[in-house]
Amino acid sequence: MWTSTAGLEGQRLRLAISFTCIIGFSLFGYDQGLMSGIISGDQFTQEFPAAYMPDDASSSTSRHVSVIRGAITSCYEIGCLFGAVFTLVWGERIGRTRLILGGGILMIIGAVISTSAFGPRWGLGQFVVGRVVSGLGMGMDTATIPVWQSECSKAHNRGFLVCFEGAIIAVGTFVAYWIDFGFSYINTSVQWRFPVAFQIVFAVIMIMGVLVLPESPRWFLLRGREEEATYILSKLNGTHPEDASVKQDISVMKAELDASKTGESQWKTLFTSGKTQEFQRMMIGCSGQFFQQWTGCNGAIYYSTLLFKSNLQMSDRMSLVLGGVFATVYALSTLPSFFMIERVGRRKLWFIGFGGQALSLIITMGCLVHPTTQSSNGAAVGIFLFIAFFAFTILPLPWIYPPEINPLRTRTRAAALSTCTNWICNFAVVMITPVFSDSSPWGLYLFFALINIIALPFAYFFYPETSGRQLEEIDLIFAKAHVEHKWPYQVAKQMPKLHNEEILEMSAQLGMGRPAISSSFANSEASVEKRSSGEKEEGPSSAIV
């Protein structure tokens, strides 16, 4: 159905797809930063008194209001979770672009419901319902956009493009924080209604994009529609359907699909081991999202303004200003990831991120054990340092990894399951952060620091390098690791990057199935062995990073 290219092809078509994905993730970032500035705003708490925190609140009142604020903010994550579950169940059948379209429509409906909420009783319920509906759409989109982007990108810039989407999350948060700050000077309900409604702008642009852009060629192939897959792939490559490179790419995709396909993809496929290692790969993708949330990012992003006010004892206005500065540092700190994601590689960035975040949180924790004005300034430095490390490492990586690490037949479901992990952990973190912070400000940061420390050895043993690899090569890494009883990261380090012919040959060598191979593919297996032996002679410096 979705074969329109808006008259574009080649680089222009890829850029149009990237732009649409970027808008979708900027909306994700905007919604992350939206509530930080309005949840404690005077007009919002006047409209919904249940969220008002008195200056002389007792400990019981403080805990009660903290729970209410946590629930108002985290209800969005519940919607996102169910949106991701919907994608998990129906994603392969519906398709990438139609899911993104449906998600955008739901976000517009949710924004309208929340913006039009009035009154302290039913109004708050309506606001929450709108947030949940918006969350449904966002859950569908965040589970689908990285898959669509990865499947329409070339291997050499796939990581850069998905990383760029991750960076745009920070830009969306930056926009939300400063809009919240600007409208804080308005003494009517427009103070919070306009920021909530503004997300419609992002959703409309995204919808316009997916209406005129094509479906993923890999999805067409998965549904047995080779003609459409060939046509779209030729448009993405800027050639024609009969071009040899297009046919070769289609052959490689079919080889990957045939190698892992034993019939129609079932739920039980996600729990397959053996050479294809679907279960291990699914869990690796989910673990990245788990650690992203439980290492503290959204505890800071959703509540930075509130944390500056309650933990660091700053005024309302200064908290909003620092919240804006926090979002600016967040956005600017994503810039190094653009070149580091491919040059440094995913694996090393995991280590840098977890280590840097742990150090930053320990600094913050240490400054809050015996709080003074001077130590509070040190805690603020720790929070800013934390978000800087997060922005160029742990922010983009969990969105890049699941579409890369999972095989074609389970890619949508596994990526959706990793997104489900993101949202259920996001809900838990956003729900407990204000309550935990109210009970023990320094204990909150110690808890997140310990999770970062635990994540380091996990990343070392379970996260192989995927930078610069074709998606089909990842299958071979896990199959070879299974056959040779090695860790996947060891195989990825030793195995050279392969061409299409070599991928087909190695797939046959590992007994994963092999389509008809033309004579032009002859001796490619020997080529792989020659390159492998050559790299061994070069020593450790030849490892892929």
Side-chain angles (χ1 to χ4, degrees), residues 340 377 437:
M340 293 180 72
N377 294 334
S437 174

Side-chain angles (χ1 to χ4, degrees), residues 482-493:
H482 175 76
V483 170
E484 298 180 357
H485 304 290
K486 293 182 178 179
W487 292 97
Y489 83 88
Q490 294 174 319
V491 174
K493 193 173 184 179

Side-chain angles (χ1 to χ4, degrees), residues 23-61:
I23 294 299
F25 265 73
S26 65
L27 176 54
F28 176 28
Y30 184 86
D31 279 334
Q32 279 191 317
L34 173 65
M35 292 303 295
S36 180
I38 68 175
I39 189 67
S40 59
D42 58 342
Q43 292 301 315
F44 185 83
T45 55
Q46 183 177 320
E47 189 77 46
F48 309 120
Y52 175 66
M53 178 75 78
D55 292 334
D56 57 347
S58 63
S59 59
S60 60
T61 301

Side-chain angles (χ1 to χ4, degrees), residues 396-443:
L397 287 171
W399 299 105
I400 296 174
Y401 230 50
E404 287 187 335
I405 211 75
N406 288 290
L408 178 58
R409 71 166 175 169
T410 61
R411 186 167 295 144
T412 297
R413 285 178 174 172
L417 195 58
S418 72
T419 307
C420 290
T421 304
N422 175 284
W423 290 121
I424 195 167
C425 294
N426 197 330
F427 166 76
V429 171
V430 173
M431 186 70 204
I432 71 168
T433 294
V435 181
F436 201 159
S437 174
D438 185 63
S439 300
S440 176
W442 64 268

Side-chain angles (χ1 to χ4, degrees), residues 341-479:
I341 197 69
E342 296 295 349
R343 294 184 185 180
V344 177
R346 282 63 152 159
R347 185 173 162 81
K348 288 184 178 178
L349 284 181
W350 284 113
F351 301 152
I352 294 170
F354 290 139
Q357 288 182 169
L359 177 63
S360 304
L361 291 167
I362 289 171
I363 291 172
T364 303
M365 179 272 295
C367 292
L368 291 177
V369 172
H370 300 291
T372 64
T373 302
Q374 197 67 24
S375 65
S376 293
N377 294 334
V381 170
I383 294 174
F384 281 108
L385 189 60
F386 167 83
I387 204 63
F389 273 108
F390 170 76
F392 73 90
T393 57
I394 311 301
L395 168 63
L397 287 171
W399 299 105
I400 296 174
Y401 230 50
E404 287 187 335
I405 211 75
N406 288 290
L408 178 58
R409 71 166 175 169
T410 61
R411 186 167 295 144
T412 297
R413 285 178 174 172
L417 195 58
S418 72
T419 307
C420 290
T421 304
N422 175 284
W423 290 121
I424 195 167
C425 294
N426 197 330
F427 166 76
V429 171
V430 173
M431 186 70 204
I432 71 168
T433 294
V435 181
F436 201 159
S437 174
D438 185 63
S439 300
S440 176
W442 64 268
L444 174 69
Y445 298 101
L446 175 61
F447 173 76
F448 288 139
L450 291 174
I451 299 294
N452 277 280
I453 293 170
I454 292 170
L456 277 168
F458 188 94
Y460 180 83
F461 287 107
F462 290 101
Y463 293 174
E465 183 57 72
T466 59
S467 176
R469 298 276 188 184
Q470 295 188 58
L471 296 177
E472 291 73 20
E473 287 181 78
I474 310 303
D475 289 334
L476 301 181
I477 289 173
F478 280 89

Side-chain angles (χ1 to χ4, degrees), residues 191-463:
Q191 181 185 102
W192 65 268
R193 293 187 196 277
F194 181 88
V196 172
F198 188 73
Q199 60 191 298
I200 294 174
V201 175
F202 295 97
V204 168
I205 297 172
M206 182 182 68
I207 287 172
M208 292 171 62
V210 295
L211 282 174
V212 298
L213 292 172
E215 182 57 81
S216 157
R218 284 179 171 86
W219 181 82
F220 277 126
L221 203 60
L222 186 65
R223 305 307 296 175
R225 298 162 66 175
E226 186 172 341
E227 183 179 348
E228 289 97 329
T230 303
Y231 173 76
I232 295 302
L233 190 59
S234 68
K235 288 295 184 181
L236 288 168
N237 290 346
T239 59
H240 54 85
E242 299 302 317
D243 187 82
S245 64
V246 172
K247 290 186 174 181
Q248 190 178 83
D249 286 342
I250 291 292
S251 294
V252 171
M253 291 180 196
K254 288 172 68 177
E256 180 200 10
L257 182 59
D258 292 341
S260 61
K261 192 171 183 180
T262 57
E264 187 66 24
S265 179
Q266 304 288 333
W267 281 104
K268 64 183 180 182
T269 306
L270 290 169
F271 301 93
T272 305
S273 54
K275 294 177 183 177
T276 50
Q277 291 290 306
E278 274 92 348
F279 179 71
Q280 181 182 348
R281 294 157 76 174
M282 176 189 71
M283 293 304 293
I284 289 173
C286 291
S287 70
Q289 296 284 16
F290 173 87
F291 283 122
Q292 185 194 63
Q293 296 306 312
W294 285 105
T295 50
C297 67
N298 280 323
I301 294 169
Y302 277 81
Y303 296 113
S304 64
T305 301
L306 200 61
L307 293 175
F308 288 136
K309 181 180 177 180
S310 60
N311 290 359
L312 308 187
Q313 306 302 315
M314 295 181 177
S315 66
D316 290 345
R317 188 68 61 195
M318 182 56 68
S319 296
L320 285 168
V321 171
L322 277 184
V325 174
F326 173 88
T328 305
V329 172
Y330 181 26
L332 291 176
S333 297
T334 62
L335 297 177
S337 65
F338 296 163
F339 64 89
M340 293 180 72
I341 197 69
E342 296 295 349
R343 294 184 185 180
V344 177
R346 282 63 152 159
R347 185 173 162 81
K348 288 184 178 178
L349 284 181
W350 284 113
F351 301 152
I352 294 170
F354 290 139
Q357 288 182 169
L359 177 63
S360 304
L361 291 167
I362 289 171
I363 291 172
T364 303
M365 179 272 295
C367 292
L368 291 177
V369 172
H370 300 291
T372 64
T373 302
Q374 197 67 24
S375 65
S376 293
N377 294 334
V381 170
I383 294 174
F384 281 108
L385 189 60
F386 167 83
I387 204 63
F389 273 108
F390 170 76
F392 73 90
T393 57
I394 311 301
L395 168 63
L397 287 171
W399 299 105
I400 296 174
Y401 230 50
E404 287 187 335
I405 211 75
N406 288 290
L408 178 58
R409 71 166 175 169
T410 61
R411 186 167 295 144
T412 297
R413 285 178 174 172
L417 195 58
S418 72
T419 307
C420 290
T421 304
N422 175 284
W423 290 121
I424 195 167
C425 294
N426 197 330
F427 166 76
V429 171
V430 173
M431 186 70 204
I432 71 168
T433 294
V435 181
F436 201 159
S437 174
D438 185 63
S439 300
S440 176
W442 64 268
L444 174 69
Y445 298 101
L446 175 61
F447 173 76
F448 288 139
L450 291 174
I451 299 294
N452 277 280
I453 293 170
I454 292 170
L456 277 168
F458 188 94
Y460 180 83
F461 287 107
F462 290 101
Y463 293 174

Side-chain angles (χ1 to χ4, degrees), residues 62-134:
S62 179
R63 290 193 188 94
H64 174 73
V65 174
S66 295
V67 171
I68 295 295
R69 287 178 172 181
I72 293 171
T73 305
S74 62
C75 68
Y76 177 75
E77 276 65 39
I78 292 294
C80 292
L81 171 62
F82 284 104
V85 169
F86 178 86
T87 303
L88 181 66
V89 177
W90 299 102
E92 294 288 11
R93 190 172 302 178
I94 295 173
R96 316 321 190 206
T97 51
R98 281 178 282 189
L99 274 171
I100 297 171
L101 173 64
I105 293 172
L106 283 173
M107 281 186 275
I108 292 174
I109 294 172
V112 171
I113 293 173
S114 292
T115 303
S116 58
F118 288 89
R121 295 183 181 178
W122 294 109
L124 182 58
Q126 181 180 331
F127 182 84
V128 169
V129 168
R131 291 277 292 168
V132 173
V133 173
S134 292

